[in-house]
Amino acid sequence: MIRWTNYPILMVALALFACTSSERRYVPLAQDENSQLSDVVQGEPTASDLPKQSTSITGVAPKIIVRTDRDLYRQGESMLVTIENNSAKPIHFLEICSMHLCLNSGEEWICEERECDGSMTVLESRGDVTMLQEAKSLIIAADTDSSLRYKLDYQVVAEDPFYFAHSNAFTILNTGANCQQAKEIALEHAQSSPNLNSIDASRATVRWQGENKSCMVDFAWQDAGQIHTGLWAEGYQVTVDARSGQVIEANAYER
């Protein structure tokens, strides 16, 4: 004869386990390459809705992409950094403040942390935005080239935990001629120009000209339209010799 004495006890234990497990719901955070996976209780949105970063283990395509326009820059050059949101939800970040420069130290990436104020940017699903940055090294007076990348911290919902996306690696040439002082030299030159009052010094790009070892500084006119990021409809271009610091040429233009 089968004995059922312990059956009610077993059923009560199972019922308690089910009630306990239903009280807490854990949502894994997006994981960057150097951190441990964290959990959030009662998190929103659900794990299936969050943008997940790619890893070399899973090979999953990244939902948030950060990329630079080139992989090699001279010190002081302008960089175009594009952020793409390929997730199903908008993401939030503080413009330039959310972009952290990281240096490759050989075995790991060391990222700068700084105090910064900026307005909140909302990047909609399937949208992209491009920002101007200056190519610089995290090593002061470096005599070797630097391998760097950007880390973007962002939120899916305001007051949510932060998630991270990394850009491609790129190199800053610290040796030889560079464009670090080109903008200051161009501004000094503009002091004697009749176009000075028309120049918008807050909107400027700096480009290396390899054929003549010079740096071209491109200032927008006040209220000039923008054809695309860093390309103004009208402005003032100053070409500076990177070796001597002398102004080679300066011209107002209209595209």
Side-chain angles (χ1 to χ4, degrees):
M1 182 176 64
I2 301 174
R3 296 178 63 87
W4 298 93
T5 305
N6 296 326
Y7 181 76
I9 298 174
L10 177 62
M11 293 301 294
V12 170
L14 289 173
L16 287 173
F17 177 79
C19 292
T20 302
S21 63
S22 65
E23 290 175 359
R24 305 182 73 188
R25 177 163 54 87
Y26 289 84
V27 180
L29 300 185
Q31 183 182 17
D32 75 20
E33 297 169 17
N34 299 318
S35 67
Q36 299 296 318
L37 190 65
S38 302
D39 292 327
V40 173
V41 180
Q42 299 293 341
E44 290 293 343
T46 64
S48 61
D49 292 328
L50 294 176
K52 297 180 177 63
Q53 303 310 308
S54 66
T55 67
S56 57
I57 298 175
T58 62
V60 177
K63 297 293 186 181
I64 309 300
I65 297 174
V66 183
R67 69 174 189 275
T68 60
D69 59 328
R70 305 203 314 273
D71 57 12
L72 184 67
Y73 301 90
R74 296 269 170 174
Q75 185 88 254
E77 262 196 287
S78 296
M79 307 171 61
L80 296 179
V81 183
T82 300
I83 302 170
E84 293 181 8
N85 179 10
N86 294 317
S87 70
K89 293 182 177 292
I91 62 172
H92 303 71
F93 56 91
L94 291 175
E95 292 187 351
I96 301 298
C97 300
S98 292
M99 298 290 293
H100 304 278
L101 194 59
C102 304
L103 175 70
N104 189 337
S105 67
E107 296 183 356
E108 60 182 355
W109 292 89
I110 300 173
C111 299
E112 67 174 351
E113 298 295 336
R114 67 192 189 283
E115 293 185 4
C116 182
D117 293 322
S119 58
M120 180 66 73
T121 296
V122 179
L123 183 56
E124 298 294 336
S125 172
R126 312 304 172 188
D128 62 78
V129 63
T130 299
M131 300 180 295
L132 273 173
Q133 297 275 53
E134 181 183 335
K136 60 180 181 179
S137 174
L138 289 179
I139 303 175
I140 299 175
D143 56 0
T144 58
D145 300 337
S146 301
S147 179
L148 302 137
R149 71 179 182 183
Y150 280 107
K151 180 184 76 172
L152 170 72
D153 54 41
Y154 65 95
Q155 296 170 292
V156 178
V157 179
E159 300 180 1
D160 234 20
F162 282 94
Y163 303 90
F164 306 99
H166 296 102
S167 77
N168 54 284
F170 53 89
T171 300
I172 303 295
L173 297 176
N174 296 310
T175 55
N178 61 61
C179 297
Q180 198 163 11
Q181 305 301 322
K183 189 185 295 185
E184 287 78 3
I185 293 169
L187 278 172
E188 288 178 6
H189 167 80
Q191 300 298 319
S192 59
S193 167
N195 300 306
L196 176 62
N197 293 330
S198 300
I199 293 173
D200 184 352
S202 67
R203 293 197 294 165
T205 57
V206 182
R207 294 293 184 194
W208 171 255
Q209 307 290 301
E211 64 276 7
N212 58 2
K213 308 293 184 187
S214 64
C215 304
M216 186 183 72
V217 183
D218 187 0
F219 294 109
W221 281 149
Q222 297 282 349
D223 302 320
Q226 187 170 203
I227 297 174
H228 59 70
T229 306
L231 184 66
W232 328 118
E234 52 185 342
Y236 189 64
Q237 288 182 348
V238 182
T239 304
V240 179
D241 188 292
R243 295 157 296 188
S244 66
Q246 298 297 312
V247 173
I248 301 172
E249 188 177 10
N251 294 298
Y253 68 86
E254 182 177 349
R255 291 189 173 94

